[in-house]
Amino acid sequence: MTTAGQIAFWILAVMAVASAAGVVLRRNPIHSALFLVVHLATLAAFFLKMRAEFLATAQVIVYAGAIAVLFVFAIMVLIPGREETGPDPLRAQRLFAVPVAGLLLVLLAVMLRSTLFAGAGPAQAVPGGVANIGRALFTDYLFPFEVTSVLLLVAIVGVMALAKRRLA
Amino acid sequence: MVPTSYYVGLSAVLFVIGVLGVIVRRDPLIIVLCVAAAEVAVGLAIIVAIFRLRRRLSVDELSLMRG
């Protein structure tokens, strides 16, 4: 018996895998970045489907918004119109990439089956709650939250210092 | 409902596609892009795993780092 949830899952799964393959296979970096936006939006839909509303929102704002814009900007500034063409210096090694990735997938499947899937029931949809996360973030986890903000500030200052030194 | 194992299997597939991108592509920027994609797949798997263990998702109950 197929339910609406299962149909939605398979549509989203096909979209996620296809857009991920698009990121890897397209030669034009801009096309890759745009496929990544589609991919991240699909994952946000998965989070929404599992009633993790906060994660879905954060996914769209942070990944599909900020990080995607960052990638597109970086591509346009650093490698305008350049595609990966010409003879591949490491072609012999890259031919091994597909079997190696297949082996990794098999290993992951065996590992997950032996541990995680043991007695796995159906996923139950429950209200996640943006309110709960917000309350926890600003009461119990206030100190880690503020430490994270300082960490990000350090990263920003570090990037500025590195970029400045390269210009000089 | 969709079994949680499907979600975990999907994240495994997405992670492997990301790894494949890191191996195959030549452009350093694209490699970073593939790392980002693989990382998000791991995030999805973690959420599903927590979901499966606890049957409900509330950050108030996630203060333990063990099962």
Side-chain angles (χ1 to χ4, degrees):
Chain A
M1 194 183 103
T2 51
T3 61
Q6 282 174 338
I7 295 168
F9 174 84
W10 285 112
I11 292 173
L12 286 174
V14 168
M15 278 181 70
V17 172
S19 55
V23 173
V24 176
L25 296 177
R26 297 299 301 207
R27 285 185 169 273
N28 191 329
I30 288 283
H31 293 175
S32 284
L34 293 180
F35 268 114
L36 185 70
V37 175
V38 175
H39 179 67
L40 296 171
T42 317
L43 289 188
F46 270 120
F47 285 135
L48 207 57
K49 194 173 167 309
M50 285 185 279
R51 301 283 177 88
E53 293 96 350
F54 177 76
L55 267 181
T57 315
Q59 173 89 9
V60 169
I61 293 173
V62 175
Y63 278 101
I67 293 197
V69 169
L70 178 77
F71 271 124
V72 172
F73 258 111
I75 289 168
M76 290 200 299
V77 170
L78 295 177
I79 39 176
R82 203 187 74 194
E83 297 192 2
E84 287 182 352
T85 52
D88 190 343
L90 290 175
R91 182 166 178 76
Q93 286 182 33
R94 288 208 170 79
L95 288 177
F96 283 107
V98 174
V100 165
L103 189 67
L104 178 64
L105 186 61
V106 170
L107 283 176
L108 273 176
V110 170
M111 188 191 77
L112 291 172
R113 186 170 290 278
S114 64
T115 59
L116 202 62
F117 291 179
Q124 287 166 2
V126 287
V130 180
N132 284 336
I133 292 175
R135 203 174 298 121
L137 208 56
F138 285 99
T139 53
D140 295 346
Y141 298 96
L142 184 62
F143 183 67
F145 183 72
E146 294 295 338
V147 168
T148 308
S149 70
V150 174
L151 186 71
L152 291 175
L153 183 68
V154 169
I156 294 169
V157 173
V159 166
M160 293 304 288
L162 283 173
K164 190 102 176 157
R165 196 168 58 197
R166 189 172 297 170
L167 282 177
Chain B
M1 294 304 291
V2 183
T4 44
S5 52
Y6 284 23
Y7 282 104
V8 180
L10 177 72
S11 348
V13 171
L14 295 179
F15 179 76
V16 169
I17 292 175
V19 171
L20 194 61
V22 172
I23 301 173
V24 171
R25 299 303 295 261
R26 275 180 279 168
D27 202 316
L29 205 61
I30 300 296
I31 290 173
V32 174
L33 204 136
C34 289
V35 169
E39 172 220 310
V40 177
V42 173
L44 182 68
I46 289 173
I47 288 299
V48 173
I50 292 170
F51 208 76
R52 199 187 77 75
L53 271 175
R54 292 301 165 94
R55 292 277 160 233
R56 51 207 175 120
L57 215 51
S58 165
V59 281
D60 290 341
E61 297 170 8
L62 287 183
S63 47
L64 284 177
M65 290 297 279
R66 57 190 168 84

